[in-house]
Each structure stands twice: as C-alpha cells, then as structure tokens.
Amino acid sequence: MSGIEQAFASPTQEWSRVSEQLRAMRRAITFVVGALLLAILVIAAAASGVWLVLVIGACVLAVVTLAVLGVVDRNYRSWGYTERAADLLVTRGVLFRRLVVVPYGRMQLVDVTAGPIERKFGIATVRLHTASAGTDARIRGLPPDEAARLRDRLAALGEARSAGL
Amino acid sequence: MSTATTDLVREGRTHPASPLVKAGRIVVGLVGVAVVNVRDTEHAGKWLPLVGLALAVFAAAAAYVSWLFTSYRIADGDVRVNSGVFIKRVRRVRIDRLQAIDVVQPLFARMLGLAELKLDMAGGAEGRVAIAYLRLADAQALRASLLAMAAGLDHRTPEAPERPLLQVSMGAVVGSALLSTAALIAFCWIGIVLVVVSVSGSSGIVGAALPGVLGVVAPLWQTIQTHAHFTAAESPDGLRLRHGLLETRAQTVPPGRVQAVRLVQPLLWRIPQWVRVEANIAGYAGRRADEGHQHNSTLLPVGSRAQADAVIARVLPGVDIADVELRRVPGRAKWRSPLRWWTFRAGSNDQVFAVRSGVLTSVHAVMRHEKIQSVALSMGPLQRLLRLATVHVHSTHGPVDVVAPDRDFAEAREMLDVEATRARQGRAAAGPERWMSAAPPADA
C-alpha cells in the first residue's frame, strides 16, 4: 500500500464496502444525461445544418463520458466503513478524501434515507448525527437490509454508551 | 438521593406587566424604522405621532391577549411553556438536560423590575425556551431552583454563594473595541469620507455615506453595549457572568458544559497585552440569527493573560493549557498556505488537544478529549501532492474550531487514532450528568 493510502487505511484488515448498485446507479445517470446531451446536439446540428458540430460534439461527449465513468468507478471504490468496539469509521472521496471517526456514545440520531432513484436500484444512505454540525458521517449505497442492520445496531450502541454533553 | 420527592412543582402565568415590555420593544423597533426612513418630515410631523399611537395600542392589545394564553408549568422533571392563542404550542425542557439558564433584562424590563429566563437544553435544535417576564427576584430564585435540580440537589437548596473573580473595566471594554479590526475598518471608512468631503468641497457625500458608516459603527456599539460592566464570579454551580449596558444578562456556566475554549488576540491587542476568551458551550446550539456569538460564548471579552488563565482554570479545572507540546507543520505546507503556514501548531497531552494559528489575530484553541463529538481527517488534491492532511476535531456549535491544517499525512493519521483512543478513555472516566450528585471534586 502506498504511503498516502496508509493514512486512509482501515484499522482492521479491510473496509466494509458498499453495494455495487451505487456504481450501477451512477453509471445509469451518466448515460441518461449523456444521451440527453447527444439528443440536443443532434437537434442543434439538424437545425443549423452544420453536421460538423455533431461530429465534434459527439467526440467531446464521448471523452467526457468516459472520464465521468472513471470517476464514478473510483468514487464507488473509495466508500468504506468499519465498525469498531467503541466507534464507527467512515471514509469516502477520490479528489477530496475524508475519514471520520464517530464514537457510538456521541451518536444522537441515525437516519436511513433513499431517494426515488436510489430505491429503484435498491440502495440507501445512512447518516449519523452528533451534536456537532461538522461530523457529516454518511454511507451511501448500502443495501436496505445492511442499512437497517447498521441503523439498529448504532442506535442500540448509542443508547448503551451514551455520554452526556 | 432520590430527586423525585424533592423536585419543585409550580404552575402559573408570567407577570401581568409582561405584555407592556413586549409591546414596548415592538413600538421602539417600529419607531426606529420610521425615523430612519422618513424623508418628508413636513407631512410626517402630522400623522406620524397618531400612527405611532395606534400601533402602540394595537401592539399592547395583541401582547395582552397573547399573555392571557401563556403559562408555564414545572413538574415531573421538566419545564413546559404553553403559549399560543389559536395554534397551541408547548415548549418543553427536561430539567436534567438543562445546560444553562440566563437571566436577561432588556431595557424596558429593567425599568419595570422584570426579567426573562432563557433555558438552554442539551442538543436543543429548536432554540431556547423562554419564560418572559417574571419579577427579578422570582426569576433569580427560579433559576437557582432549576439549576439545583439539574445538578441533582434539592430544589430548596439556597443559591450558592459566589466569590467575585474579576471585573472588566469600562475603559478596557471601550479601548478593546477601538483596537479591534472592526474599529479599524470604521476609522478607514470615516477617514475616506472626510477626505472626499474636504477634497470635493460638497457635503452631500456625507448623507450618502452615513448609512455605510452607521453600518460599520453599529456592531462596535453593540459590542461595547454587550460587554459593558462584565463581571465574573465563581460559585459551586459554575462560573457566573454578568454583563450588559442597556440590556443586562446573567449567565451561569457550569464547568461540565464547556466543550472547547479559545484565546483570541487581535493584532493591536498585543500592545496592551489583552486577550479574549471564548467557548463553545453546549446548549447554545440552535440559536437564532438575532442572538450573536458574543452574548453566549464569551467567557471574557477582554482581559490580561492572568485574568484569562483564571477564567480558563474555572471551566477547564485541572488543565494547564501551556503544558501541551505544540508541533509545527512541515515546510512543504508553504505551497498550500503561504501566508499562514508557519503559525500552524497542534499537539495533545493526556487531557486536551490544542491548536494555534494566526498571523494578525492569534488564536489558541483547546478541547478536552472526552468532549469531542467526532474527529476527521481530510486531504484535498493539493494536499495529496504535498503529502499533507488536515485533522478536524468536532465540537458543538460555537466560535471555537479545533482544526490542525496541513500536517504531515502520517502524523495526521496518528493524531486521529490517538485522539479517538484518548476520547474513548476520557468518556469512560467522565462523571455523570447531574454532576453535583457525584462525589464532590477534590479541589473545592
């Protein structure tokens, strides 16, 4: 493991990973947006009669789409979480990496949300709230049963170890 | 000790003169707006007083009706305030979750001998619960009872005696305001206006520039007004702070509620060696925009280093903040923070995590391990190239940020791990919430 990666390594052997459906969902969104842009290009080219626009535009779009897909893939692989005895670690991010340690006793609220697209792909987001607004600990792309298990376990641990402010 | 049988039970309305105070504040506000905005003074002189009177009567009537439907009830371990004529509203604070109770006297209330109680709750997201207004003596007695119950004592426990700690002179308050950054901007602005007027010879500029000048001077006045007559006293229930010129405020800060502390020294304050102490006090979260940081988070608006140490010793008992070894950041941090990197310091010992930074305004922030909410490591793209990372130690809402930017990445991860461990150990050793029902502390 390279030097920098050490800083974001899991304290146990491996990070628990999120569902591949997160990547699938984001790929799907990318393709949909790409198709829309392509359609706009086709209409623009047909309207103006300059087909060169379509050719160049399509090439640019293809390159950008490939780049975005690459980012989507790397971002998906960057999500990870580890449950330890007293706290939860969550990591994410490719360009802006982040690792947060949230003690169970400090968790005030654990919520599970899923938007309409997320529901279609069968994933959910778990968010942990402490008394600090800066905590921002969330795990995207969890399968619903894992999300429910985490939520219940975190809520139970939070209660058991609750430390007063 | 069972607290159920010794708890206070009370129910009733607030003082009958309360509507007058509320109406008075509304009317003053409206008059102020009118005075500033009135352009046509000739006609205004005729109908403004009538309109003002009508508004005052209307405001008083509305306030009176609202008062009829307002009551408070203290029983079963919580404080409830019922209000609302059409839409009923119950605001509730659990007594053992009480973080702080302030006694506030706006000008009108003070004239009538009344005061408002503002109760802050742990993790209170909806803002503070207020009982407005009671007779000053009643308000103080009620606060003492509630604080006693929150600390696990019998509610009849008389208010603990206090020992005066320090007093901030009016000269220091005014002087520190004049030496602040905001004052510098105000002086520059006034200077520019004067120069323009004298050069151009026309005084019309003054009228146009007046709102701008007022906008810069107003916060200064607000600062002076808030911090005037600042006194601190220590008592068994915590640090008692009193301050205010027109609106006076009395706060009690129990030591357990202080989450993080910082000492701030703006550039010009180095001349008289003044320093300011601010804290994140749990329970002042969910504050609305109209109440600034200054009211609730300032433990010492201006004072000498010795006074600051005395205040910090009361809210962080047993901690010597100078005892922490603070380490610098590696030289390569200059590529990311060229203006400030050499001032970055961070370190921790068994008790606290401390950071320092600041070129013009020097800031030294300290946090006890057991008080942290969470700790995080972040690395942006530039930091990745430079093999640096930033450590964030999260605290509750307030002016103090405990952040150690641009550390070496391996050191940063180590800081994170050590902090998480120390926090866990600290929390395990921390006392119960009704902190007075535990054994009395060794240092009385």
Side-chain angles (χ1 to χ4, degrees):
Chain A
M1 198 181 295
S2 87
I4 301 275
E5 282 308 313
Q6 283 283 1
F8 289 91
S10 169
T12 60
Q13 293 303 95
E14 286 289 329
W15 291 107
S16 299
R17 293 295 169 193
V18 299
S19 163
E20 285 190 349
Q21 292 292 83
L22 178 68
R23 180 171 59 184
M25 178 185 85
R26 287 180 169 170
R27 278 177 176 167
I29 294 174
T30 308
F31 281 129
V32 166
V33 172
L36 275 170
L37 287 173
L38 191 63
I40 291 173
L41 272 176
V42 167
I43 293 170
S48 64
V50 181
W51 291 99
L52 193 61
V53 169
L54 178 59
V55 173
I56 295 176
C59 289
V60 169
L61 195 60
V63 168
V64 168
T65 305
L66 279 172
V68 170
L69 284 176
V71 169
V72 162
D73 184 60
R74 287 185 68 190
N75 181 273
Y76 153 73
R77 282 189 276 122
S78 75
W79 284 90
Y81 61 98
T82 297
E83 296 167 74
R84 289 203 298 197
D87 45 36
L88 175 74
L89 284 84
V90 182
T91 186
R92 69 170 191 265
V94 177
L95 213 52
F96 291 90
R97 304 213 53 185
R98 195 174 147 85
L99 166 63
V100 61
V101 180
V102 187
Y104 296 132
R106 289 294 184 210
M107 287 176 198
Q108 300 213 328
L109 183 62
V110 180
D111 63 28
V112 178
T113 55
I117 307 179
E118 282 176 304
R119 279 201 300 271
K120 261 203 131 55
F121 279 86
I123 53 177
T125 300
V126 172
R127 273 192 188 83
L128 294 86
H129 299 273
T130 63
S132 169
T135 298
D136 189 26
R138 55 192 145 99
I139 311 172
R140 283 198 193 281
L142 286 172
D145 48 339
E146 173 69 0
R149 180 198 74 82
L150 252 184
R151 180 200 57 207
D152 294 338
R153 179 156 187 267
L154 293 177
L157 280 168
E159 248 174 68
R161 291 153 190 269
S162 178
L165 279 174
Chain B
M1 171 195 300
S2 156
T3 47
T5 54
T6 57
D7 281 350
L8 173 69
V9 174
R10 188 190 288 189
E11 192 168 357
R13 284 221 180 95
T14 53
H15 195 278
S18 307
L20 286 177
V21 178
K22 293 192 170 154
R25 298 181 85 179
I26 295 172
V27 167
V28 166
L30 288 172
V31 166
V33 167
V35 162
V36 170
N37 286 320
V38 156
R39 303 259 181 255
D40 186 6
T41 48
E42 191 189 300
H43 289 112
K46 295 187 189 121
W47 53 260
L48 193 60
L50 277 171
V51 171
L53 192 63
L55 278 172
V57 169
F58 178 70
Y64 185 71
V65 170
S66 165
W67 172 79
L68 281 175
F69 285 86
T70 303
S71 68
Y72 68 95
R73 180 185 149 87
I74 302 170
D76 309 319
D78 65 21
V79 178
R80 277 175 220 217
V81 178
N82 307 302
S83 60
V85 180
F86 303 113
I87 303 171
K88 299 287 179 194
R89 193 177 185 199
V90 180
R91 308 199 68 190
R92 189 174 154 239
V93 180
R94 276 186 48 197
I95 292 181
D96 56 9
R97 284 261 156 205
L98 268 178
Q99 296 281 10
I101 304 180
D102 294 357
V103 175
V104 183
Q105 287 189 292
L107 186 58
F108 280 125
R110 214 159 64 164
M111 283 168 16
L112 294 169
L114 300 177
E116 180 181 10
L117 277 186
K118 289 198 167 158
L119 295 93
D120 280 309
M121 185 169 68
E126 302 98 39
R128 314 169 83 180
V129 173
I131 302 178
Y133 293 83
L134 301 171
R135 280 213 329 262
L136 180 61
D138 290 342
Q140 288 169 332
L142 185 57
R143 178 180 66 153
S145 298
L146 289 173
L147 281 178
M149 291 202 290
L153 301 171
D154 184 288
H155 75 90
R156 287 177 296 257
T157 311
E159 191 174 24
E162 62 182 45
R163 201 166 67 83
L165 195 59
L166 57 86
Q167 190 165 358
V168 177
S169 70
M170 204 53 199
V173 172
V174 174
S176 63
L178 291 175
L179 286 177
S180 70
T181 322
L184 230 64
I185 297 173
F187 288 142
C188 289
W189 193 232
I190 293 172
I192 291 172
V193 169
L194 285 173
V195 164
V196 168
V197 166
S198 57
V199 163
S200 70
S202 86
S203 59
I205 302 287
V206 177
L210 196 62
V213 171
L214 278 176
V216 182
V217 168
L220 274 180
W221 165 244
Q222 183 66 19
T223 306
I224 294 176
Q225 219 236 88
T226 309
H227 295 147
H229 306 309
F230 190 96
T231 58
E234 59 172 343
S235 75
D237 31 312
L239 197 62
R240 293 206 193 143
L241 308 174
R242 282 186 194 81
H243 54 99
L245 190 61
L246 296 178
E247 174 182 288
T248 58
R249 185 176 290 253
Q251 297 171 244
T252 303
V253 181
R257 302 307 183 210
V258 172
Q259 303 291 312
V261 175
R262 74 174 185 179
L263 289 106
V264 181
Q265 188 176 54
L267 181 65
L268 293 176
W269 288 23
R270 291 185 203 187
I271 305 167
Q273 302 260 10
W274 280 335
V275 87
R276 180 169 79 226
V277 180
E278 293 171 341
N280 289 353
I281 302 175
Y284 288 135
R287 202 182 318 124
R288 293 184 307 277
D290 57 317
E291 295 179 40
H293 280 166
Q294 297 171 345
H295 294 283
N296 305 330
S297 321
T298 308
L299 296 182
L300 181 68
V302 55
S304 67
R305 188 58 203 251
Q307 289 177 317
D309 287 339
V311 166
I312 292 180
R314 300 305 184 290
V315 295
L316 289 179
V319 172
D320 177 14
I321 62 173
D323 184 43
V324 182
E325 189 208 330
L326 293 170
R327 301 200 295 269
R328 307 165 77 110
V329 293
R332 52 189 197 270
K334 63 174 170 278
W335 300 111
R336 185 171 179 261
S337 312
L339 301 174
R340 303 184 301 147
W341 69 276
W342 76 89
T343 64
F344 292 159
R345 305 265 187 286
S348 72
N349 64 9
D350 289 336
Q351 298 168 313
V352 295
F353 186 88
V355 298
R356 262 191 109 117
S357 66
V359 178
L360 298 177
T361 300
S362 164
V363 178
H364 183 170
V366 167
M367 188 166 190
R368 294 190 96 131
H369 298 303
E370 65 265 22
K371 293 296 188 187
I372 72 163
Q373 295 299 310
S374 54
V375 54
L377 189 65
S378 73
M379 184 190 280
L382 182 56
Q383 282 179 317
R384 194 203 191 94
L385 275 172
L386 297 168
R387 301 190 344 270
L388 301 170
T390 297
V391 179
H392 308 256
V393 181
H394 297 131
S395 170
T396 56
H397 186 86
V400 186
D401 280 326
V402 183
V403 178
D406 296 336
R407 314 298 308 179
D408 171 68
F409 73 92
E411 181 198 27
R413 178 60 194 257
E414 193 199 322
M415 270 182 173
L416 181 93
D417 292 330
V418 166
E419 190 59 28
T421 307
R422 283 187 167 147
R424 179 171 44 91
Q425 290 166 342
R427 275 195 311 276
E433 214 157 293
R434 288 200 171 189
W435 48 276
M436 255 185 169
S437 54
D443 55 328

mmCIF file of all heavy atoms in Angstrom, chain B residues 44 224 329:
data_model
loop_
_atom_site.group_PDB
_atom_site.id
_atom_site.type_symbol
_atom_site.label_atom_id
_atom_site.label_comp_id
_atom_site.label_asym_id
_atom_site.label_seq_id
_atom_site.Cartn_x
_atom_site.Cartn_y
_atom_site.Cartn_z
ATOM 1 N N ALA B 44 -44.789 64.296 7.769
ATOM 2 C CA ALA B 44 -44.663 63.230 8.764
ATOM 3 C C ALA B 44 -45.022 63.733 10.151
ATOM 4 O O ALA B 44 -45.646 63.036 10.947
ATOM 5 C CB ALA B 44 -43.243 62.677 8.762
ATOM 6 N N ILE B 224 -19.651 47.010 22.574
ATOM 7 C CA ILE B 224 -19.430 47.744 23.815
ATOM 8 C C ILE B 224 -20.618 47.571 24.736
ATOM 9 O O ILE B 224 -20.482 47.351 25.944
ATOM 10 C CB ILE B 224 -19.189 49.237 23.518
ATOM 11 C CG1 ILE B 224 -17.881 49.413 22.749
ATOM 12 C CG2 ILE B 224 -19.162 50.055 24.799
ATOM 13 C CD1 ILE B 224 -17.614 50.829 22.324
ATOM 14 N N VAL B 329 4.164 22.528 11.465
ATOM 15 C CA VAL B 329 3.877 21.736 10.271
ATOM 16 C C VAL B 329 5.125 21.691 9.389
ATOM 17 O O VAL B 329 5.997 22.539 9.511
ATOM 18 C CB VAL B 329 2.698 22.329 9.464
ATOM 19 C CG1 VAL B 329 1.415 22.219 10.244
ATOM 20 C CG2 VAL B 329 2.964 23.758 9.054
#
